[in-house]
Amino acid sequence: MTLTDHIATDDSARSIIDGPALWPAQAHTPSVLGRQLVIDRGVGSYVFTTDGQKLFDGTAGLWHANIGHAHPELAQVAFDQMRRLETYHIFARFTNDKALALGERLAALSPIQRSKVILNSGGADSIDVACKLARRHWQREGRATKKMILSREFAYHGLHAFGTSIAGLQFNRDGYGTESLVPDTARFPLHDADAIVAMVAEIGADNIAAIVTEPVQGTGGVNPPTPGYLEAVEKICRDNDILLILDEVITGFGRTGTMFAAERYGVTPDLLTFAKGVTSGYAPLGGVLVSPHIWEPFYVDSPDTPIFRHGATYAGHATASAVALANLDIIERDGLVERVTELEVVLRNALDGLNARQGEVIDVRVGGLLGGITLSENLSAESIADDLIDLGYISRPLRGNSLQISPPFIVSDDELKGYIDAIETAITDRVNR
């Protein structure tokens, strides 16, 4: 008898819920089957289900729909590019014109002077590249003991091997034998620079390759840095010869009111990872901005020049690159980064009003067009998010019984206020039940 036969015939086994062939991501599967919302179109800040429900996209998908949904210019760019050349790889002597153009555009925008750009397919890819390159850098420098990667409590860095191993969300680490998945990782407390100093002293700077941090934590609960924190982290890195990797997969391309959060918070990383906002989700693309002191040794004209043995089939994908270029054009042309600074004020004022509901709302946090709402123990963020769907709004439960606020940059003041009002209504209705 096979294991499948045993499960199917064992009277003590709970029933198996079937459903679509597509396995839902990041889900307790039995809880979502039969309740899934099938999205089949979008317009601006709204998406529509197959049964006709209109929903305000208060999370911009997964933090990425910065210019809104179904923008006709991006659709046309993708169509035109595919008719000319869908893509061609960028291995060795080969490259393509759109990947080259995107590389130049990103280097010009980069908070790192004289950046090189490594392109790939998304944020988790970018973290893997950055961590590999950090270790490769020190190995090439003759300091092979520097391989430990430090990250923050509650951090989220994607779910590839490195991202899983450096995660500060324990539930994303459990079940994989994480320390053997990618060994030599450790985590430090959320906003405590002194704890980093102590950890560096304990581990030894000669054993640490890099510190990875999100400027504003996203999935960990939307946690902006405390004043001076990121500057302190950068100083620790400089004082101890440790690379600083900023994970700007969520914050990059305007989400905090500057093109990169590094600019807002006044830090200069050695490596910066990006994805999501570079295409506003219209094509899968991510990458790493690389400092000169890391890339220059790989560019020396010598028979002994090392090779960074990394590359992906879709790195520099021509259509994705064309879409990214058009997306950046729209962000700049329409003043959307500047618009985020205006919307931050609207969001902060609205959330301050919500925070006055003592006993139900424990805390609110804002960093650009990123907001987090922590609810009291007697309320469930997951239940409130479900109730919001019935009211026509999308939010998402995050760590710490928090709700995610991250709408597209094109949202109006009234739409944003209406979103927060809907959250207050959902809280009130739930309390009064």
Side-chain angles (χ1 to χ4, degrees), residues 119-180:
L119 294 175
N120 53 47
S121 300
D125 289 354
S126 302
I127 286 293
D128 267 24
V129 171
C131 291
K132 284 176 65 176
L133 184 54
R135 288 185 174 179
R136 182 71 177 90
H137 168 76
W138 292 119
Q139 187 275 335
R140 186 205 55 74
E141 289 275 305
R143 304 174 68 181
T145 61
K146 290 178 71 66
K147 55 187 178 181
M148 180 76 75
I149 307 290
L150 306 185
S151 56
R152 271 206 288 178
E153 175 187 37
F154 309 138
Y156 179 83
H157 299 292
L159 296 173
H160 287 2
F162 253 116
T164 298
S165 298
I166 66 175
L169 295 164
Q170 189 59 41
F171 52 75
N172 280 335
R173 294 165 51 83
D174 289 341
Y176 301 111
T178 302
E179 293 307 322
S180 60

Side-chain angles (χ1 to χ4, degrees), residues 296-313:
E296 282 176 347
F298 294 90
Y299 277 71
V300 174
D301 187 5
S302 164
D304 300 324
T305 300
I307 298 173
F308 180 44
R309 294 290 184 184
H310 188 91
T313 300

Side-chain angles (χ1 to χ4, degrees), residues 102-123:
L102 180 59
E104 296 302 318
R105 182 76 167 273
L106 293 172
L109 293 172
S110 173
I112 303 170
Q113 295 297 309
R114 297 179 56 235
S115 294
K116 295 295 184 188
V117 182
I118 297 173
L119 294 175
N120 53 47
S121 300

